[in-house]
Amino acid sequence: MPELPEVENFKRYLNATSLHQRIISVDVRDAYVLKSVTARELARRLKGRRFESSCRHGKHLFARADGDLWLRLHFGMTGSLRYFKGRGKAPNHARVLFVFANTHCLAFEDQRKFGEVGLVKDVDEFLKKRALGPDALDLSLSLFRQIFEKHRGAVKAILLNQKLIAGIGNIYADEILFRARLHPAIEISRVGDKALTKLFRATHYILRKAIAAKADVNQMPKSWLLPHRGKDGKCPRCGRKLSSARIGGRTAWFCAHCQKKM
Ligand SMILES: [Zn+2]
């Protein structure tokens, strides 16, 4: 499931492949992923324009077309981008194709179709309407503290709540907690100031490092949880068997020995 590091890499990919080229058509192959826009309107409004820049907030990617119109992409569970030459070579699960004048296309692919493609006039307005929290990488330590001081519940549930902090999903929340040596179910009220600072640092460290590893598990350090999570996985720190539990509606993987409830 694409989280902040994956979406940041999609942003870089879009910037490296698809900017400043005239869009000659938009081919919607499955309108299910369209949100608040019809296939006809999407094509009509983007045709003849170029994507000039992009920005990311949490798990959302926005590409600005000249004329101040933003394409909004959310990658759901299986969404990704693919740039290729020749419309006939579109990947199997391409839902929307942006066809450029140079005969290359950018495909929004999404096997399971939980992704979203839409148009927005103003990114800030959209973020406000969705009530999304600040991007996880834009957070300062003091804002991070404020968020945790104001809320109750399991620490992992706070990390996952997009309305409080945008961008972290199940995989990276587990990784951040593993690095900070905090049990995912620990109550926020029991996390002291020092541990909270550690959690903040772990959040930045893990997300930045994952972006640099191109969000590719094979490029991530073996000392991380990610290469080991799952049944029969062993803690890379102490060698004990990893545990799993349902926390905040998602399956958490953690080491019950290294990650204390305090
Ligand atoms: Zn351990």
Side-chain angles (χ1 to χ4, degrees), residues 101-117:
N102 68 356
T103 73
H104 282 63
C105 303
L106 180 70
F108 176 79
E109 355 171 42
D110 188 6
Q111 187 181 356
R112 297 193 57 189
K113 299 196 278 187
F114 287 101
E116 298 178 4
V117 176

Side-chain angles (χ1 to χ4, degrees), residues 178 181 234-242 254-259:
F178 181 72
R181 300 193 185 216
K234 292 201 169 62
C235 171
R237 212 177 263 145
C238 72
R240 290 175 175 85
K241 207 167 166 262
L242 293 174
F254 56 97
C255 173
H257 176 76
C258 296
Q259 294 168 262

Side-chain angles (χ1 to χ4, degrees), residues 25-251:
S25 66
V26 179
D27 179 1
V28 175
R29 303 201 159 180
D30 194 329
Y32 185 83
V33 296
L34 299 184
K35 292 290 168 289
S36 314
V37 67
T38 62
R40 238 175 103 181
E41 195 190 355
L42 184 73
R44 183 179 63 78
R45 296 191 61 194
L46 286 175
K47 202 174 157 184
R49 296 180 196 263
R50 295 158 209 266
F51 295 126
E52 297 293 0
S53 61
S54 69
C55 68
R56 182 194 56 72
H57 187 99
K59 301 179 196 174
H60 276 93
L61 178 59
F62 303 90
R64 191 178 72 82
D66 53 327
D68 274 332
L69 180 69
W70 295 82
L71 173 74
R72 173 178 78 83
L73 302 174
H74 188 280
F75 298 88
M77 286 184 76
T78 54
S80 68
L81 295 177
R82 183 98 66 85
Y83 183 77
F84 59 95
K85 190 177 165 64
R87 227 163 152 158
K89 300 217 179 80
N92 276 344
H93 302 294
R95 306 303 180 195
V96 181
L97 292 183
F98 302 93
V99 185
F100 300 112
N102 68 356
T103 73
H104 282 63
C105 303
L106 180 70
F108 176 79
E109 355 171 42
D110 188 6
Q111 187 181 356
R112 297 193 57 189
K113 299 196 278 187
F114 287 101
E116 298 178 4
V117 176
L119 290 175
V120 295
K121 254 200 263 155
D122 186 291
V123 171
D124 288 334
E125 218 168 79
F126 171 82
L127 300 176
K128 226 165 141 186
K129 218 166 92 193
R130 281 275 174 115
L132 286 173
D135 185 79
L137 280 178
D138 284 342
L139 277 174
S140 62
L141 175 58
S142 64
L143 191 52
F144 190 80
R145 272 215 188 98
Q146 270 177 38
I147 291 168
F148 278 82
E149 275 161 9
K150 268 199 231 148
H151 294 87
R152 289 290 161 259
V155 66
K156 184 174 172 185
I158 301 287
L159 287 176
L160 289 178
N161 187 338
Q162 302 300 301
K163 291 189 161 50
L164 300 179
I165 301 171
I168 303 169
N170 195 39
I171 300 277
Y172 293 105
D174 283 354
E175 199 64 57
I176 289 163
L177 290 164
F178 181 72
R179 182 168 177 88
R181 300 193 185 216
L182 285 173
H183 191 289
I186 186 175
E187 281 288 320
I188 294 149
S189 54
R190 303 187 63 185
V191 179
D193 224 33
K194 222 171 131 188
L196 204 55
T197 304
K198 214 165 148 186
L199 184 66
F200 171 77
R201 294 218 176 102
T203 301
H204 274 252
Y205 179 84
I206 293 294
L207 295 175
R208 289 200 185 287
K209 202 84 173 156
I211 289 169
K214 298 203 156 52
D216 174 359
V217 62
N218 297 314
Q219 291 190 46
M220 285 177 202
K222 292 285 174 277
S223 58
W224 282 24
L225 188 65
L226 196 46
H228 310 279
R229 58 182 289 143
K231 214 170 145 263
D232 300 325
K234 292 201 169 62
C235 171
R237 212 177 263 145
C238 72
R240 290 175 175 85
K241 207 167 166 262
L242 293 174
S243 311
S244 69
R246 202 84 181 147
I247 296 158
R250 308 293 305 275
T251 301

